[in-house]
Amino acid sequence: MQGLLGLLGFYDELDNSPGRPNGSIHDAVRPVGEPDEADLVAYLDAGHVLIDVMEAGHDVVTGSAHRHSLGCSSLVTDGTWLWRLDLPHYVETHHVLLPEAFIEHVRGLNHRMPALIAAQFAPAATKPCPWSGGLRLAHGDRPRRCSNPNHEQ
C-alpha cells in the first residue's frame, strides 16, 4: 500500500457531524445500483477489520436495525480503501453511490478481496503513538502495552 487510504461511506448522518468526507448519505442514495452490486457488496463484506468497535447502530435513512447494526462503525479495509462495517448495508439497501475509482479497483481485482500484508499496511512502530496510551504493534502482533512506563513518547 502506498499513500493514504481512500475513504468510503463516511457520511454526515453516521455521527451527526456535518463535513464528513463523503457528505450526506441522502445525496448518495439512488433508485438502483450498479449491475454488479451484489459482487461489490460481497467485496465490501469480505474486507479486513482494522478497528473493531463495540456498539449498536441503526440505518440512518430508515431508522431500522440492519445486519450490520452491531459494530456498525468498525473500520474495514482492503489495503487501498477504508470503510465502515455498515457500508455494505447501505450499498445493497439504498444503492449508495460508490466512487468510480473504487468500482474500477474492485472490478480490476475480479471482485476478490486481496490478502492484507501487515508489513506493508502497518509497519512496526519504534515508538508508541502519543494517542495510543503506550500501545504499539509489531508485524503480526496484537496491541500490547509498552513494558517500560518511562518509554520516550
Side-chain angles (χ1 to χ4, degrees), residues 7 10 16 89 136 140 146 149:
L7 301 176
F10 291 91
N16 295 317
H89 162 74
R136 64 176 129 172
C146 179

PDB file of all heavy atoms in Angstrom, residues 7 10 16 89 136 140 146 149:
ATOM      1  N   LEU A   7     -11.395   6.900   1.230  1.00  0.00           N
ATOM      2  CA  LEU A   7     -12.465   6.778   2.218  1.00  0.00           C
ATOM      3  C   LEU A   7     -13.806   6.556   1.542  1.00  0.00           C
ATOM      4  O   LEU A   7     -14.172   7.283   0.615  1.00  0.00           O
ATOM      5  CB  LEU A   7     -12.528   8.041   3.084  1.00  0.00           C
ATOM      6  CG  LEU A   7     -11.252   8.370   3.857  1.00  0.00           C
ATOM      7  CD1 LEU A   7     -11.405   9.693   4.598  1.00  0.00           C
ATOM      8  CD2 LEU A   7     -10.890   7.244   4.825  1.00  0.00           C
ATOM      9  N   PHE A  10     -18.240   7.479   4.673  1.00  0.00           N
ATOM     10  CA  PHE A  10     -18.163   8.272   5.901  1.00  0.00           C
ATOM     11  C   PHE A  10     -19.092   9.475   5.723  1.00  0.00           C
ATOM     12  O   PHE A  10     -18.667  10.557   5.346  1.00  0.00           O
ATOM     13  CB  PHE A  10     -16.719   8.695   6.195  1.00  0.00           C
ATOM     14  CG  PHE A  10     -15.857   7.527   6.586  1.00  0.00           C
ATOM     15  CD1 PHE A  10     -15.146   6.820   5.630  1.00  0.00           C
ATOM     16  CD2 PHE A  10     -15.783   7.122   7.913  1.00  0.00           C
ATOM     17  CE1 PHE A  10     -14.370   5.733   5.984  1.00  0.00           C
ATOM     18  CE2 PHE A  10     -15.002   6.039   8.278  1.00  0.00           C
ATOM     19  CZ  PHE A  10     -14.294   5.336   7.314  1.00  0.00           C
ATOM     20  N   ASN A  16     -23.676  12.285  13.170  1.00  0.00           N
ATOM     21  CA  ASN A  16     -24.332  13.576  13.406  1.00  0.00           C
ATOM     22  C   ASN A  16     -23.351  14.743  13.371  1.00  0.00           C
ATOM     23  O   ASN A  16     -23.394  15.637  14.203  1.00  0.00           O
ATOM     24  CB  ASN A  16     -25.092  13.560  14.741  1.00  0.00           C
ATOM     25  CG  ASN A  16     -26.233  12.581  14.719  1.00  0.00           C
ATOM     26  OD1 ASN A  16     -26.961  12.499  13.730  1.00  0.00           O
ATOM     27  ND2 ASN A  16     -26.390  11.823  15.786  1.00  0.00           N
ATOM     28  N   HIS A  89     -24.407  -2.601   3.876  1.00  0.00           N
ATOM     29  CA  HIS A  89     -25.862  -2.468   4.066  1.00  0.00           C
ATOM     30  C   HIS A  89     -26.409  -1.311   3.231  1.00  0.00           C
ATOM     31  O   HIS A  89     -27.434  -1.446   2.556  1.00  0.00           O
ATOM     32  CB  HIS A  89     -26.193  -2.250   5.551  1.00  0.00           C
ATOM     33  CG  HIS A  89     -27.567  -1.682   5.744  1.00  0.00           C
ATOM     34  ND1 HIS A  89     -28.712  -2.439   5.587  1.00  0.00           N
ATOM     35  CD2 HIS A  89     -27.982  -0.413   6.036  1.00  0.00           C
ATOM     36  CE1 HIS A  89     -29.770  -1.670   5.787  1.00  0.00           C
ATOM     37  NE2 HIS A  89     -29.356  -0.435   6.055  1.00  0.00           N
ATOM     38  N   ARG A 136       1.730  -0.300  21.019  1.00  0.00           N
ATOM     39  CA  ARG A 136       2.448  -0.338  19.750  1.00  0.00           C
ATOM     40  C   ARG A 136       2.268  -1.701  19.125  1.00  0.00           C
ATOM     41  O   ARG A 136       1.963  -2.673  19.790  1.00  0.00           O
ATOM     42  CB  ARG A 136       3.905   0.008  19.930  1.00  0.00           C
ATOM     43  CG  ARG A 136       4.679  -0.961  20.775  1.00  0.00           C
ATOM     44  CD  ARG A 136       6.121  -0.567  20.792  1.00  0.00           C
ATOM     45  NE  ARG A 136       6.558  -0.501  22.153  1.00  0.00           N
ATOM     46  CZ  ARG A 136       7.810  -0.333  22.492  1.00  0.00           C
ATOM     47  NH1 ARG A 136       8.717  -0.188  21.594  1.00  0.00           N
ATOM     48  NH2 ARG A 136       8.142  -0.295  23.748  1.00  0.00           N
ATOM     49  N   GLY A 140       2.337  -8.562  12.786  1.00  0.00           N
ATOM     50  CA  GLY A 140       1.586  -9.733  13.184  1.00  0.00           C
ATOM     51  C   GLY A 140       1.209  -9.777  14.654  1.00  0.00           C
ATOM     52  O   GLY A 140       0.569 -10.709  15.102  1.00  0.00           O
ATOM     53  N   CYS A 146       3.552  -0.961  26.245  1.00  0.00           N
ATOM     54  CA  CYS A 146       4.993  -0.861  26.367  1.00  0.00           C
ATOM     55  C   CYS A 146       5.370  -1.270  27.790  1.00  0.00           C
ATOM     56  O   CYS A 146       4.763  -0.822  28.760  1.00  0.00           O
ATOM     57  CB  CYS A 146       5.430   0.579  26.088  1.00  0.00           C
ATOM     58  SG  CYS A 146       7.186   0.844  26.244  1.00  0.00           S
ATOM     59  N   PRO A 149       7.285   1.957  31.474  1.00  0.00           N
ATOM     60  CA  PRO A 149       6.369   3.086  31.605  1.00  0.00           C
ATOM     61  C   PRO A 149       7.047   4.429  31.364  1.00  0.00           C
ATOM     62  O   PRO A 149       6.373   5.426  31.149  1.00  0.00           O
ATOM     63  CB  PRO A 149       5.857   2.980  33.045  1.00  0.00           C
ATOM     64  CG  PRO A 149       6.855   2.148  33.758  1.00  0.00           C
ATOM     65  CD  PRO A 149       7.500   1.247  32.743  1.00  0.00           C
TER      66      PRO A 149
END
